[in-house]
Amino acid sequence: MRPLNVLSVTSEIFPIIKTGGLADVAGALPGALANEGIGMVTLIPGYPAVLQSMGRKEVVRQYEDLFGGPARLLAAKAKKLDLLVIDAPHLFERPGSPYLASDGRDWPDNAWRFAALGRVAAEIGQGLAPGFVPDVIHAHDWQAGLAPAYLHYGGGARPGTVMTVHNIAFQGIFPADLLIELGLPASALTIDGVEYYGQIGFLKAGLQFADRITTVSPTYAEEIQTPQGGMGLDGLLRSRSHVVSGILNGIDETIWDPSTDPYLENRYGRANLEARSANKQALQARLGLTTDPEALLFGVVSRLSEQKGLDLVLAALPLLVGDGAQLALLGTGDRALEGSFQAAAAVYPGQVGCLLGYDEALAHQIQGGSDALLVPSRFEPCGLTQLCAMRYGNVPIVSRVGGLADTVIDANEMAMAAGAATGFQFSPVSLAALKGALFRAKALWQDKEGWRHMQQSGMATDVGWTRPAHQYANLYRACVEAR
Ligand code: ADP
Ligand code: GLC
């Protein structure tokens, strides 16, 4: 099959800059797709972390004025990734988060910052970056959403376009009067263009103009086409239903491998799960929990936001810790939730331990040391932590939504009899249902054989990128053939 060139357009990429799972996906896709004959180059804003990570670089294009200042498009290799980087100091040379100022509010010029991302992507698609002409542009989330729109209004030959929704809660909505400054024609401000309830919607634009739309699980692909799950975009998605599909994420199996993980006290595999006990002990010690091997240890690794449903865990705490069980939480985000978990650690000393912050090592240590991972999300496009959990013999307890529904096999009676169960699902997303799942987990914890079998089934599950990469490759090829 003919090799294809794909430009992946993203606002974050692991291991260079990350706020969530999008970075993991953007970082893993190029390697996974290489085996499918897809050459992927990633376009990313030149935040300080990106510029610092680059080795030898080449200037591909110069801009006298890219939305308010001079800029350059640089080609470089960084952390084994082939990058095209928008070096535009007036837009990206700032410390901290890619999206937020230190006061926690959006950067006031986010419209221009991510319009620049879409604009440069579109120009690369029009063949304006010597050395790399993409067959397909793959745009991720609202930050890249204008790329298909600029290509549409630019006219002329263009590559295929794929828009992937990693989270429909973030839509990139900006005032309508920016339209002309953003370089879009006045005619674009209609329902068939970039207009979204009287404003400009970057994600809306991407969904309107991309050849294909994907999201990160089949169930989420259905959910976003409903009024409850579509957050205002369900009508558009229903009208384009024939080009919408769900492709599950994988995890990078070299980064997430309990048999080689450098962050773990003890490395282990399916055959020597008992070696996990040293990890559990180290985790308990690190978070100030009683070092008791028999205590059922629940873990959480999560952004702390409304989406993740962790207020339900707080509400379930009396039951959760009721019989000596423990909670190890790593998370950051919502200040109120952070305060509540800190307070819970004081109320249940030795039983609730938390680290409020971002900590790559501790994320691995929770996966390799806790017994069960709680993911009670209200919605979850895919979710990666339950996949890591399965690979690490950490039994996931998840709400039955989005990608959680598609990746965890619930321990119902038949699945248990068949030896197929890999975790616990609960539905609806309510305190009562979460409590029910905690009861079921606690009951199975008493059955050491049954618990171990469930850990091993999770560890035998294919959570890697091979299958999804093949699906993306097929999608890109279909997209090119259709043009
Ligand atoms: P989302 O992208 O919605 O945050 P995902 O489950 O897709 O959720 O991805 C979250 C990613 O971020 C995982 O790789 C997880 O290990 C990581 N992560 C989340 N919170 C933290 C944290 N506080 N410290 C370190 N890693 C974290
Ligand atoms: C988003 C979603 C998460 C998904 C990730 C990567 O951040 O919230 O469910 O796994 O993107 O696709």
Side-chain angles (χ1 to χ4, degrees), residues 141-150 152-153 163-165 167-174 184 187-211 213 230-237 239-240:
D141 273 353
W142 75 264
Q143 292 88 351
L146 283 192
Y150 283 125
H152 172 83
Y153 292 110
M163 180 79 231
T164 293
V165 180
N167 194 332
I168 208 155
F170 302 106
Q171 302 188 351
I173 297 169
F174 299 101
L184 291 162
S187 63
L189 204 65
T190 65
I191 191 160
D192 300 329
V194 304
E195 187 267 348
Y196 185 60
Y197 294 102
Q199 298 188 282
I200 298 171
F202 279 30
L203 182 61
K204 147 81 207 271
L207 298 177
Q208 181 73 38
F209 293 115
D211 298 329
I213 296 166
M231 300 194 179
L233 288 165
D234 47 294
L236 169 56
L237 286 163
S239 75
R240 304 208 62 207

Side-chain angles (χ1 to χ4, degrees), residues 21-22 25 166-167 216 249 303 307-308 380-384:
L22 166 60
V25 173
H166 294 266
N167 194 332
V216 286
N249 290 331
R303 287 188 290 115
Q307 172 190 346
K308 301 294 180 178
E380 195 61 75
C382 179
L384 299 175

Side-chain angles (χ1 to χ4, degrees), residues 12 14 18-25 166-167 170 249 251 256 300-305 307-308 330-332 355-364 367 375 379-386 388 404:
E12 48 184 278
F14 185 85
K18 163 166 164 175
T19 74
L22 166 60
D24 295 303
V25 173
H166 294 266
N167 194 332
F170 302 106
N249 290 331
I251 54 171
W256 293 99
V300 170
V301 178
S302 185
R303 287 188 290 115
L304 300 182
S305 75
Q307 172 190 346
K308 301 294 180 178
L330 168 63
T332 179
L355 191 146
L356 303 172
Y358 185 89
D359 189 321
E360 195 70 34
L362 186 57
H364 286 247
Q367 296 291 12
V375 194
F379 67 93
E380 195 61 75
C382 179
L384 299 175
T385 58
Q386 83 280 13
C388 301
L404 301 173

Side-chain angles (χ1 to χ4, degrees), residues 8 24-34 40 138 140 166 465 468-469 472 476:
S8 170
D24 295 303
V25 173
L29 271 180
L33 284 161
M40 180 169 271
H138 186 169
H140 300 277
H166 294 266
W465 271 105
Y472 277 114
Y476 299 147

